[in-house]
Amino acid sequence: MDFRGKKYERGSNWSDPEVVELLQLWADESVQMELESCLRNQHVFNRIAEVLREKGIHRTGDQCREKIKKMKLEYRRIKDNGKAPRGGRTWKFYEVMDRVLTSRPALAYGSLGGSVMAQQVLQGTMVESYHHQFASTALPFGRSQHPELMEIKCEEVNSDDHCLTPEPPPSVSYQQGSPEEREMERAFLERAQNDSPISRVEIPIETSASPSGFSEPNMANSSRIQNVVPRPGFSALHRLRKKRKGQRVKDPLDDFLLKTLTSQRAMEERFLQMEERRFQRDLDVEERRMQLEQRRFELEREHEFRMFNVFAQMLSILKQSHSGSTSSTVMPRSMDFSQALSEIAGMGGGGGNLQDMRAHPLAERRLDMRGFCNPSDFQKSPYLSARGNIANIFRGSTEEGYKAYHADKYDEDKNPNGIINFGTSENKLCFDLMSKRLTQNDMNLMEPPLLQYPDWKGHKFLREEVARFLTYYCKAPAPLKAENVIVLNGCGSLFSALATVLCDPGEAVLIATPFYGGITQGVFLYGNVKLVYAYLDSKITGTSTRPFQLTVEKLEKALLDARAEGVTVRALILLNPQNPLGDIYSLSELRDYLEFAKRHELHVIVDEIYMLSVFDESATFHSVLGMDRLPDPQRTHVMWGISKDFAVSGIRFGTLYTENQDVASAVASLCYFHGVCGPVQYKVAQLLRDRDWINQVFLRANHARLKAAHTYVTDELKTLGVPFLNRNAGFFVWTDFRKYLRTGTFEEEMLLWKRFLDNKVLLSCGKAFECSEPGWFRIIFSDKTHRLQLGMQRIRKVLEEREKEILAEEKEQPCQSDQDGKADSTDEVIFVSRHQEPTCAGNSNLGDLIGLLQQQMRSSDWLQKNTAEQFAQEKPEIYDVFSKLVGQQ
């Protein structure tokens, strides 16, 4: 992404008549001399732009200068590299550019009526000068000289006047010198023409004296001053002139000017080389984009070919069944195709798929309920208690990737080969906005109450501001109350406090998987509260209409299974928007979940920490606090914090809103251990109070940047042919890498995760979120563009290497269909496959082909591109056969 300002816009859309008008002005001799003689040429192109505007061509000076620069680069490329026949004559502007650039004028000066006129001297090379002055008719557009042209002025003798040149009295005249003096002058001028520094330096201003004592500066050229009336005593003054000219030849300023001009020319050549490299880099980027487009086009064509192939097989099976063949069996409607294919091929083993997990008892697959309750299963440290040993092992099993990242963190300058973090859910796109806002004057206040112990629930001014903030952004039907607000240092502390005050040790909280793994630490490490999982999967079966959809039926089943084992469940945790899926629950879904909790007398902890991170207008977020009536308000508790929505995860601030005063009082007692310091409370209150800045500046920029980053990462995944959940909230993309797992186990998932880490990119694997299907990964996209590009390149490298390995293994075992592990393709799961579907004899029947065809069509825009009418026109013979067969059924 290019974030440069309008000053640098390229202005590349020039028509030929506009280019001709620009070249006519630029090629003018006076314009070329001014461009050669000045240090800065912006004012020249500004005047050219003014003339173009008078002619109806609206361009800026920057656009004119950029267009000339590109044409010079094109001219040099043709002339130096010989890429066009006969020196590039096929380019329509080559002759004009060649005439101007190979015949640049040198500067000679002549006095005419007390003014200085630049004259053109044709040379083969560029002649540069720091300063010259045009006469009033030098430029075709009649503008006065820009002040920057006067940066280096001619030397003046006995005069401090730099601006005015009054006409000399007509009575003043000078004698010509003696023949010897004339000969010395001629020799001096010949030396000056041969010496390169003098040829580039302006001849100093002469001083003429009037009888009244007035002195004026004027310019002298190489010709002698013509005398009108001889004046006695002029010889001494003329000799003084010659003496000063002789001293000027030896002046050290000449060497300085020579070096300066040489450096200026070298810098110009260097600049042109850099522009050539930039031009070449742009060409390479465009070529890369074209290659990606071509690759995407090939994938689409391959996709359509597979669909027509499946369609042809369907016609063949229909024809066979019509003629009396009974070899094909129709798959039951309730059976998923990929599941049936896995069972037929015998690839359901490995112990890591969903079917095996459902076959095991609840006690075997819920490690957090059995394993952590028995510390004797782990190696103990003699220095720690039982809970200390559990905490130590807990951290050691989840922090391996983050330890490696902090030991080898990526840095553009200091460590470009370090690890890029796509695993931690942080918004790194708005540091500039937040740092500027948090350092403004209204944030800096240090009063005694802020440095003393506060109310443990939080300062009153902060809780009032939080109540107003949540009322506004949650669209609450009535103003929320400050006494129901509790402030802690982060939502992790809130999970800990709520689990402690709502559950006894050994009891449990119900949560749907996959979910943010940090919740496990929050509820278990302090309160010894367990989690009961309601497993979600990518298959669309039963009442599910989208992958990983949470339904009341799944919650009911998980709750009943836990109670059958004697586990007491006290609460339900809902994440909205959901991490890592990005799901946003509708109002009807939220009401169903709350009604379910009320029936079973469960507390509901709703985490809405990504409330303001819904970056697409097509998605609508509904807060629990915005509902007209809560089914059980005394058991409904809503959490929110500034870590995600305001891109300040380093400022630990979380808030709880509950109408149950017993819960509020119990949680407030734990705020003693999780309080927020007074100055931070003041800054947060000021931030939440600035509603105009939040709406007009921060949220607009934040949503735009999140959307652009999400689009880049998802486009890369589409190019790679990787399925993912297409959501519009949060900082993450839930990505399906299951086709890169040969056996489909969590052990193989961990090996792929380590392979990413070895290639210096950190991701979060599905096991960290208790996902029931191995192979799902979470990719964080809320990062700067250059880090996203480098990280996706490293991911691409790993996946391409893994794909080659799988293809090599498949060649050794022909006609053996693996469990492809693909998600059901709906409008919400974008799927582009580069693998051929299994076509072994005996494995395909009509139900399989129908399911496969539906999957292929839903995963692309084939239905939009190929209507029945269009198909009937393009392939009438196939359409007639199909219609006839359908009519006979």
Side-chain angles (χ1 to χ4, degrees):
M1 292 180 287
D2 191 353
F3 296 102
R4 295 181 292 185
K6 292 185 178 179
K7 180 180 180 183
Y8 298 97
E9 59 181 334
R10 298 302 178 188
S12 58
N13 298 325
W14 288 72
S15 62
D16 287 348
E18 293 176 344
V19 175
V20 170
E21 292 291 342
L22 174 65
L23 288 177
Q24 287 180 354
L25 297 176
W26 173 74
D28 189 88
E29 296 177 0
S30 58
V31 176
Q32 286 295 312
M33 285 188 288
E34 184 172 7
L35 290 173
E36 291 294 333
S37 62
C38 61
L39 284 174
R40 302 172 184 169
N41 55 18
Q42 182 63 46
H43 61 284
V44 180
F45 287 101
N46 289 339
R47 298 209 300 271
I48 291 177
E50 291 180 5
V51 176
L52 290 177
R53 282 194 293 270
E54 295 175 359
K55 296 183 179 183
I57 302 173
H58 298 280
R59 298 286 179 178
T60 65
D62 292 312
Q63 291 175 327
C64 295
R65 181 174 62 181
E66 187 66 24
K67 184 63 179 176
I68 291 296
K69 187 187 303 180
K70 289 184 177 179
M71 296 183 71
K72 289 167 71 176
L73 289 173
E74 179 67 16
Y75 166 78
R76 287 189 59 182
R77 185 180 68 83
I78 295 176
K79 189 173 183 65
D80 295 344
N81 300 332
K83 294 185 178 179
R86 295 187 302 279
R89 277 15 177 226
T90 57
W91 186 35
K92 63 181 70 175
F93 303 115
Y94 181 86
E95 296 295 339
V96 178
M97 300 297 296
D98 185 67
R99 176 180 61 81
V100 176
L101 296 178
T102 59
S103 303
R104 290 190 172 178
L107 298 179
Y109 296 90
S111 60
L112 179 61
S115 63
V116 181
M117 169 92 57
Q119 300 177 355
Q120 180 177 6
V121 180
L122 296 177
Q123 293 180 351
T125 60
M126 184 189 303
V127 179
E128 301 181 3
S129 174
Y130 270 105
H131 170 72
H132 67 282
Q133 182 179 2
F134 285 127
S136 59
T137 60
L139 287 175
F141 35 92
R143 291 283 180 178
S144 61
Q145 187 178 357
H146 196 279
E148 293 178 353
L149 296 177
M150 303 301 295
E151 290 183 358
I152 299 179
K153 299 185 178 181
C154 300
E155 179 180 326
E156 297 177 357
V157 181
N158 296 332
S159 176
D160 294 330
D161 192 355
H162 298 280
C163 301
L164 300 176
T165 306
E167 297 182 357
S171 60
V172 177
S173 61
Y174 297 99
Q175 280 187 341
Q176 294 185 1
S178 61
E180 293 80 7
E181 294 174 345
R182 291 196 298 271
E183 184 65 21
M184 289 175 60
E185 181 178 1
R186 185 165 53 256
F188 166 77
L189 293 177
E190 291 175 356
R191 288 197 306 272
Q193 293 175 357
N194 295 329
D195 189 6
S196 59
I198 299 301
S199 64
R200 295 171 182 262
V201 180
E202 300 178 6
I203 299 176
I205 298 177
E206 298 281 331
T207 302
S208 59
S210 65
S212 63
F214 179 80
S215 61
E216 63 171 14
N218 56 36
M219 302 296 293
N221 60 1
S222 60
S223 61
R224 296 191 302 267
I225 301 176
Q226 300 296 328
N227 297 308
V228 181
V229 180
R231 178 184 177 91
F234 176 70
S235 302
L237 182 59
H238 197 62
R239 283 194 297 271
L240 180 60
R241 285 177 53 212
K242 299 301 180 183
K243 182 178 179 181
R244 287 178 176 172
K245 285 185 178 181
Q247 292 175 351
R248 180 62 182 273
V249 173
K250 299 179 182 179
D251 196 333
L253 184 60
D254 297 339
D255 294 334
F256 173 74
L257 290 177
L258 175 60
K259 295 178 180 178
T260 305
L261 294 174
T262 304
S263 301
Q264 183 182 6
R265 183 171 184 177
M267 286 190 294
E268 182 180 4
E269 293 177 353
R270 174 64 174 167
F271 179 74
L272 291 177
Q273 293 175 359
M274 294 175 63
E275 286 295 315
E276 287 181 349
R277 286 200 295 268
R278 185 185 61 81
F279 184 71
Q280 185 63 36
R281 187 171 65 250
D282 293 342
L283 291 179
D284 295 340
V285 172
E286 182 65 20
E287 183 179 358
R288 170 67 176 167
R289 189 187 66 81
M290 294 300 296
Q291 291 176 355
L292 292 176
E293 290 294 331
Q294 180 65 23
R295 185 176 180 183
R296 185 175 300 177
F297 175 76
E298 292 174 356
L299 291 174
E300 290 179 354
R301 299 302 301 173
E302 182 182 356
H303 193 76
E304 293 181 1
F305 174 77
R306 286 198 303 273
M307 286 193 293
F308 281 111
N309 187 22
V310 174
F311 190 77
Q313 295 180 45
M314 288 176 57
L315 290 176
S316 177
I317 294 175
L318 285 172
K319 187 175 181 181
Q320 293 175 6
S321 63
H322 179 69
S323 61
S325 175
T326 59
S327 59
S328 300
T329 58
V330 179
M331 180 172 38
R333 294 178 178 270
S334 61
M335 193 170 189
D336 183 82
F337 167 69
S338 61
Q339 178 181 348
L341 185 62
S342 302
E343 293 176 357
I344 292 173
M347 297 303 295
N353 55 21
L354 182 61
Q355 288 77 14
D356 290 340
M357 188 171 295
R358 287 173 174 170
H360 292 309
L362 182 66
E364 295 182 17
R365 57 188 169 92
R366 194 184 299 117
L367 295 178
D368 59 298
M369 295 195 62
R370 296 302 184 193
F372 284 120
C373 287
N374 187 8
S376 62
D377 294 341
F378 307 105
Q379 183 178 358
K380 296 182 178 180
S381 169
Y383 305 103
L384 298 176
S385 65
R387 289 186 301 178
N389 278 289
I390 294 175
N392 186 33
I393 296 171
F394 197 100
R395 177 175 175 82
S397 64
T398 57
E399 297 294 325
E400 178 183 352
Y402 298 105
K403 288 180 181 178
Y405 166 68
H406 288 294
D408 187 19
K409 188 180 298 186
Y410 170 82
D411 185 88
E412 294 85 347
D413 302 321
K414 299 179 181 179
N415 189 21
N417 295 321
I419 297 175
I420 294 179
N421 187 359
F422 284 175
T424 305
S425 183
E426 287 184 302
N427 186 352
K428 301 176 182 178
L429 297 172
C430 294
F431 289 160
D432 55 336
L433 299 176
M434 290 306 303
S435 60
K436 182 179 179 181
R437 181 65 188 93
L438 293 176
T439 54
Q440 291 180 356
N441 293 333
D442 64 322
M443 293 287 181
N444 301 324
L445 179 67
M446 199 65 62
E447 293 182 347
L450 300 179
L451 303 178
Q452 299 170 356
Y453 288 125
D455 182 348
W456 294 121
K457 296 172 62 175
H459 282 290
K460 185 177 180 180
F461 65 83
L462 174 61
R463 290 186 285 114
E464 292 175 347
E465 200 58 51
V466 168
R468 286 190 289 266
F469 179 88
L470 294 178
T471 300
Y472 178 81
Y473 286 101
C474 295
K475 297 180 175 60
L480 302 180
K481 301 177 181 179
E483 57 266 22
N484 297 334
V485 174
I486 307 164
V487 174
L488 277 78
N489 60 345
C491 289
S493 299
L494 281 171
F495 274 118
S496 248
L498 285 172
T500 301
V501 303
L502 297 180
C503 304
D504 291 326
E507 294 181 340
V509 176
L510 178 63
I511 190 170
T513 71
F515 65 92
Y516 167 57
I519 297 176
T520 305
Q521 302 180 43
V523 302
F524 175 76
L525 289 181
Y526 277 178
N528 195 19
V529 176
K530 313 305 183 298
L531 292 174
V532 171
Y533 299 153
Y535 288 98
L536 309 181
D537 55 71
S538 60
K539 304 300 183 291
I540 301 178
T541 56
T543 58
S544 299
T545 59
R546 63 177 186 269
F548 296 101
Q549 182 177 1
L550 175 62
T551 62
V552 174
E553 289 77 7
K554 296 175 183 179
L555 294 175
E556 291 273 8
K557 184 179 184 305
L559 180 63
L560 294 178
D561 289 345
R563 288 181 175 177
E565 292 190 357
V567 178
T568 301
V569 179
R570 292 292 188 185
L572 167 67
I573 294 178
L574 296 176
L575 310 178
N576 186 33
Q578 215 273 356
N579 179 10
L581 303 178
D583 273 335
I584 303 174
Y585 298 136
S586 64
L587 277 176
S588 60
E589 288 176 324
L590 287 174
R591 189 169 298 279
D592 290 342
Y593 304 150
L594 296 178
E595 291 287 354
F596 158 79
K598 181 180 180 180
R599 286 197 305 271
H600 296 282
E601 297 184 350
L602 300 179
H603 289 270
V604 182
I605 304 171
V606 186
D607 182 3
E608 298 181 353
I609 197 170
Y610 293 97
M611 174 178 66
L612 300 181
S613 297
V614 180
F615 51 83
D616 197 305
E617 296 179 355
S618 62
T620 303
F621 170 78
H622 300 282
S623 173
V624 170
L625 296 177
M627 299 176 65
D628 293 334
R629 184 186 60 83
L630 293 175
D632 193 352
Q634 291 297 312
R635 288 191 175 93
T636 304
H637 321 290
V638 182
M639 297 165 46
W640 179 80
I642 66 173
S643 300
K644 313 299 183 181
D645 287 340
F646 286 98
V648 286
S649 54
I651 299 179
R652 307 306 300 141
F653 176 86
T655 182
L656 171 70
Y657 189 87
T658 177
E659 295 185 9
N660 191 317
Q661 292 303 311
D662 294 335
V663 174
S665 178
V667 172
S669 65
L670 298 177
C671 291
Y672 178 81
F673 309 106
H674 305 286
V676 181
C677 66
V680 171
Q681 292 193 41
Y682 178 79
K683 286 180 178 289
V684 173
Q686 288 294 102
L687 178 66
L688 302 182
R689 183 179 295 114
D690 195 354
R691 203 74 53 79
D692 291 337
W693 179 84
I694 293 174
N695 294 332
Q696 303 300 326
V697 178
F698 179 78
L699 289 182
R700 287 187 177 182
N702 187 34
H703 291 168
R705 296 175 186 181
L706 286 173
K707 187 174 183 179
H710 178 268
T711 301
Y712 173 79
V713 171
T714 54
D715 285 347
E716 289 293 312
L717 293 175
K718 293 176 189 177
T719 304
L720 290 171
V722 175
F724 61 91
L725 261 67
N726 190 22
R727 300 294 188 262
N728 301 311
F731 310 149
F732 25 77
V733 178
W734 190 236
T735 309
D736 184 5
F737 288 150
R738 287 180 293 170
K739 66 181 179 181
Y740 299 99
L741 305 183
R742 182 65 175 167
T743 59
T745 61
F746 284 110
E747 290 77 10
E748 195 175 8
E749 177 189 87
M750 183 58 65
L751 291 176
L752 182 60
W753 175 83
K754 290 182 178 178
R755 195 160 182 174
F756 283 124
L757 189 62
D758 292 339
N759 283 269
K760 301 303 180 69
V761 59
L762 174 62
L763 301 180
S764 297
C765 60
K767 185 62 177 177
F769 303 96
E770 296 296 338
C771 183
S772 61
E773 301 174 358
W776 289 87
F777 283 72
R778 187 185 73 172
I779 299 178
I780 302 299
F781 62 83
S782 53
D783 208 335
K784 295 296 185 181
T785 303
H786 64 278
R787 286 195 287 269
L788 290 179
Q789 292 174 345
L790 183 57
M792 293 305 297
Q793 289 176 7
R794 296 175 180 178
I795 291 176
R796 176 191 295 272
K797 177 183 176 182
V798 174
L799 297 181
E800 289 177 349
E801 292 176 354
R802 182 58 185 153
E803 188 174 21
K804 291 178 182 178
E805 295 173 0
I806 294 177
L807 290 176
E809 295 175 1
E810 289 177 350
K811 289 181 180 178
E812 297 176 358
Q813 300 175 356
C815 198
Q816 210 175 40
S817 60
D818 297 339
Q819 181 181 358
D820 207 14
K822 301 181 183 69
D824 281 352
S825 297
T826 67
D827 294 338
E828 297 172 339
V829 178
I830 298 176
F831 178 67
V832 182
S833 175
R834 291 182 292 178
H835 298 291
Q836 294 291 336
E837 300 297 335
T839 57
C840 299
N843 284 347
S844 298
N845 54 38
L846 182 58
D848 295 347
L849 292 174
I850 292 175
L852 178 60
L853 182 62
Q854 291 175 345
Q855 181 185 32
Q856 293 287 337
M857 288 190 300
R858 286 200 301 264
S859 63
S860 69
D861 56 353
W862 187 85
L863 288 176
Q864 287 74 21
K865 293 180 179 179
N866 299 274
T867 61
E869 293 78 7
Q870 181 181 358
F871 185 78
Q873 295 176 2
E874 294 180 354
K875 299 183 182 297
E877 63 280 0
I878 299 179
Y879 183 79
D880 294 339
V881 172
F882 181 76
S883 300
K884 184 181 299 184
L885 288 174
V886 172
Q888 293 175 356
Q889 292 295 322

